[in-house]
Amino acid sequence: MGSSTPQYRVDVDGFPIDVDPHEEILAAMDKAIRERSPGHYISITNTESLYHARRLASHGKFIRGSDYSLCDGVGVIAAAKAAGDSISRYNGPILQLDASEYGATRGWRHFYLGGRDGSAEEMGRRLGEQFPGLIVCGIYEPPFRPLTAEERSAMIRQIRESEADIVWVGLGLIKQEAMIADIKDEAGVPWMVGVGASFDYHSGRVPWAPLILRKLGLEWLFRLIVQPKLRAKRYWWSGVWMLGAMVRGTAGRVSGGGKRRG
């Protein structure tokens, strides 16, 4: 677990999911920012992430070491329910919107690491119009290849010089989590968050599911229709994990495990 202490942490298939009220999470973020306490990070944990976490030790360590591990996806909710727990979603795009609004009156400084072909800049422009006072203190769109040592050093230097409070990382699973784990101690910022498709949604590059579909838990279906080639394989992995987790959760519940702590 990270330095912050979630009040309501649920075990889902051996990994933490935190269901603290949104305002308490934002308040914890604000506290670390005001104290300039570095090295905190949030894991946006969905079914695909948990599929990889069971197979890749470094990714599982990333989720378990997070200050907050937030639920993204109805599959995680279903797995928790099978184990006897009730959780709700708080995904990357929504967290970023909330943090942009909450931080606009508090002087939070946002750095965008990721995107392509100007999507990070366009995201900043749109969010700035939506939330007057939003401070975008830096943007870095890395190449689609491993960074050289010189590029890595230059990127970290740019982040440090920006005096960012939050670095939003939009590189996609599981690349963005590996990036956070690699640089969080050197970057010296209070918070880093991997937000995946947020850069596409908030820049308008990819359509975001209508609100009614999101509320009904059908965002996955909309994504599959809009990006079938990208999503089909990833949803296969997600389905494999979800079905297995539901079986394991049901078995654990029958034997007396899987209850909420906090």
Side-chain angles (χ1 to χ4, degrees), residues 4 10 39 59 77 79 91 111 123 136-137 162 172 192 206 243 246:
S4 295
V10 175
H59 193 67
I77 294 173
N91 64 16
F111 190 104
M123 176 176 68
V136 179
C137 63
S162 75
M192 299 189 75
V206 175
L243 292 175
M246 291 178 70

Side-chain angles (χ1 to χ4, degrees), residues 1 39 45-46 86 128-129 134 143 148 172 192 216 227 229:
M1 186 185 298
T45 308
N46 62 19
S86 176
E129 290 180 350
L134 177 76
T148 65
M192 299 189 75
L216 291 173
Q227 298 174 301
K229 291 184 179 180

Side-chain angles (χ1 to χ4, degrees), residues 22-102:
H22 297 184
E23 60 272 15
E24 292 185 13
I25 295 171
L26 293 168
M29 294 174 71
D30 188 51
K31 182 176 185 292
I33 288 170
R34 286 187 284 104
E35 295 175 351
R36 293 305 298 173
S37 173
H40 303 274
Y41 70 94
I42 294 172
S43 170
I44 305 298
T45 308
N46 62 19
T47 50
E48 183 186 355
S49 179
L50 290 167
Y51 170 89
H52 290 298
R54 286 181 59 85
R55 291 158 177 79
L56 187 62
S58 59
H59 193 67
K61 181 180 178 181
F62 176 89
I63 295 174
R64 292 188 177 104
S66 62
D67 289 79
Y68 291 98
S69 170
L70 304 181
C71 169
D72 179 11
V74 294
V76 182
I77 294 173
K81 187 175 182 62
D85 286 303
S86 176
I87 63 175
S88 58
R89 297 181 66 196
Y90 197 16
N91 64 16
I94 295 298
L95 174 63
Q96 189 174 10
L97 289 178
D98 286 352
S100 296
E101 180 178 22
Y102 188 92

